[in-house]
């Protein structure tokens, strides 16, 4: 099974979701002072969206910094998006953007910290994804 990497802001929704998955995961720290981790195996990245009304700034600078590292970028295999449907057409915009930019599939989108159904779907989906992609 491959890895899981995520960013979560102070609101902690993505952190709660990943904790509920119960899978080993690497967190990109909120503060640059705490450093930027290096992935050591293929991974799926969980990307919450923080956009202004026009979709700008939708991806955290911490995620951009993480992906600017070529080693990290090379090991990226897929994206899971976090968002809120209240944002309409911009739902999960940041995750869609990163998936397109890095040419990897957007595997799933969930709202806030996800429902128990999201947790089940992502656990099963990741297991299948890594079976098919390793
Ligand atoms: C300033 C701000 C802008 C946001 N913009 C979007 C958006 O454009 N699209 C979307 O789907 N969700 C948007 N959201 C919702 C967040 O993606 C959602 O709350 C997510 O769960 C945050 O994850 P975190 O608590 O782990 O940081 C926005 C949230 C904030 C605070």
């Amino acid at each position: 099974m491959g890895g899981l990497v995520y960013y979560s802001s102070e609101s902690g929704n993505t952190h709660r979701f990943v904790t509920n998955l119960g899978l080993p995961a690497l967190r990109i720290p909120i503060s640059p002072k705490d450093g930027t981790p290096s992935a050591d195996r293929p991974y799926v990245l969980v990307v919450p969206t923080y956009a202004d009304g026009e979709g700008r700034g939708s991806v955290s600078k911490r995620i951009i910094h993480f992906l600017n590292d070529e080693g990290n970028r090379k090991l990226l295999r897929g994206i899971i998006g976090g968002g809120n449907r209240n944002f309409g057409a911009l739902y999960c915009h940041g995750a869609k953007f990163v998936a397109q930019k890095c040419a990897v599939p957007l595997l799933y989108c969930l709202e806030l910290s996800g429902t128990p159904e999201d947790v089940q779907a992502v656990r099963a989906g990741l297991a299948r994804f890594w079976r098919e992609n390793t």
Side-chain angles (χ1 to χ4, degrees), residues 3-107:
L4 200 58
V5 178
Y6 71 103
Y7 173 80
S8 187
S9 72
E10 305 285 357
S11 42
N13 290 323
T14 311
H15 177 71
R16 277 189 290 280
F17 173 69
V18 170
T19 302
N20 289 338
L21 286 179
L23 302 171
L26 188 63
R27 182 175 188 165
I28 301 171
I30 295 176
S31 168
K33 278 187 251 148
D34 295 324
T36 301
S38 297
D40 61 358
R41 56 188 154 144
Y43 65 93
V44 167
L45 180 64
V46 190
V47 180
T49 291
Y50 315 95
D52 67 13
E54 274 90 53
R56 283 183 299 245
S58 64
V59 183
S60 159
K61 287 200 171 74
R62 299 293 296 135
I63 290 180
I64 293 170
H65 188 72
F66 174 81
L67 288 174
N68 277 343
D69 180 282
E70 196 188 343
N72 285 340
R73 214 164 50 240
K74 272 190 177 156
L75 290 167
L76 175 66
R77 295 292 183 274
I79 301 290
I80 292 172
N84 186 331
R85 285 185 206 275
N86 286 347
F87 288 86
L90 291 177
Y91 177 52
C92 280
H93 181 268
K96 291 176 191 166
F97 178 82
V98 175
Q100 191 180 40
K101 192 95 178 160
C102 297
V104 295
L106 177 63
L107 301 170

Side-chain angles (χ1 to χ4, degrees), residues 110-133:
L110 58 108
E111 287 190 276
L112 303 170
S113 50
T115 63
E117 290 72 31
D118 291 324
V119 169
Q120 271 209 334
V122 169
R123 283 181 58 88
L126 283 175
R128 191 177 60 235
F129 182 73
W130 291 122
R131 255 197 325 273
E132 289 168 359
N133 292 280

